[in-house]
Amino acid sequence: TNIERPRALQGGNFCARSGKWLAYWHSEGGKYRIVVEDMENGVKEIDVTLATLPYYVKFRSSEAACIAVSTCKSGRDKNAISRSLTIIESTNSGEKSRQLNTRLAQVRRFAWGADGTVIAVGDDSGVIAVYDSRTGSELSRWKAHTGRLRELCFHQPGDLLYSQGAD
């Protein structure tokens, strides 16, 4: 593509499964800029600045420019991970972002449901909670592991959630 990317992609690249979307972030003047581009057309779909360091990024689907981002206050202190997610999507009128506030200790990992209307979130204590991604309402919560949650993944079509924990 002909988009000028920063030389140092500090947070790495995050790709949608289809390879259509690429997300990357970099530091600018003490803030953190996240960009999502359409790799087929070389167009920036999302270009936003966050006040805190991106920790984990996932695409809602391979069809839409929509991501969820968890953040932390410091790259060195993983205990400073936020309790909320920032959901950012591209719309006809530009980017739209909203906060999804959880009651978890930290947002360590998360996974989108198949249709993007639910998002499962897990923390270091092994608790998983499922939220309506549009309203932020908690739909379900349970203790899934005795230790840190390592990964979450919905089985498509989205009716089954897999989790991996340190236990």
Side-chain angles (χ1 to χ4, degrees):
T1 65
N2 58 2
I3 294 176
E4 185 177 325
R5 294 186 188 99
R7 287 198 172 102
L9 298 179
Q10 298 165 324
N13 299 321
F14 305 93
C15 246
R17 286 185 185 145
S18 66
K20 176 177 170 73
W21 306 104
L22 170 70
Y24 56 88
W25 68 267
H26 62 100
S27 176
E28 282 186 358
K31 298 205 180 231
Y32 303 92
R33 183 174 169 204
I34 295 181
V35 176
V36 174
E37 36 178 283
D38 180 332
M39 296 303 290
E40 293 173 359
N41 301 316
V43 174
K44 286 185 185 177
E45 292 290 334
I46 294 174
D47 190 346
V48 297
T49 302
L50 299 176
T52 52
L53 179 72
Y55 174 73
Y56 190 63
V57 176
K58 269 203 174 169
F59 283 87
R60 181 176 63 199
S61 73
S62 50
E63 303 304 317
C66 180
I67 58 173
V69 181
S70 66
T71 61
C72 64
K73 295 175 187 164
S74 164
R76 291 185 178 87
D77 183 5
K78 298 303 182 200
N79 292 321
I81 298 170
S82 174
R83 298 173 61 131
S84 65
L85 288 174
T86 303
I87 299 173
I88 309 163
E89 62 186 313
S90 177
T91 66
N92 291 338
S93 58
E95 295 98 12
K96 181 172 78 171
S97 68
R98 62 189 178 279
Q99 289 294 118
L100 189 150
N101 294 310
T102 74
R103 293 186 346 234
L104 300 177
Q106 303 169 324
V107 175
R108 177 64 67 176
R109 289 288 184 255
F110 52 89
W112 290 97
D115 64 0
T117 61
V118 297
I119 192 164
V121 181
D123 71 8
D124 276 351
S125 68
V127 173
I128 297 173
V130 178
Y131 295 89
D132 182 310
S133 66
R134 299 160 299 183
T135 66
S137 299
E138 186 176 292
L139 305 174
S140 182
R141 167 191 288 265
W142 66 98
K143 176 84 170 168
H145 298 278
T146 58
R148 179 179 158 199
L149 187 81
R150 291 188 174 167
E151 192 58 73
L152 283 172
C153 177
F154 275 99
H155 174 268
Q156 301 307 324
D159 55 353
L160 188 59
L161 178 68
Y162 294 100
S163 66
Q164 176 190 22
D167 56 355

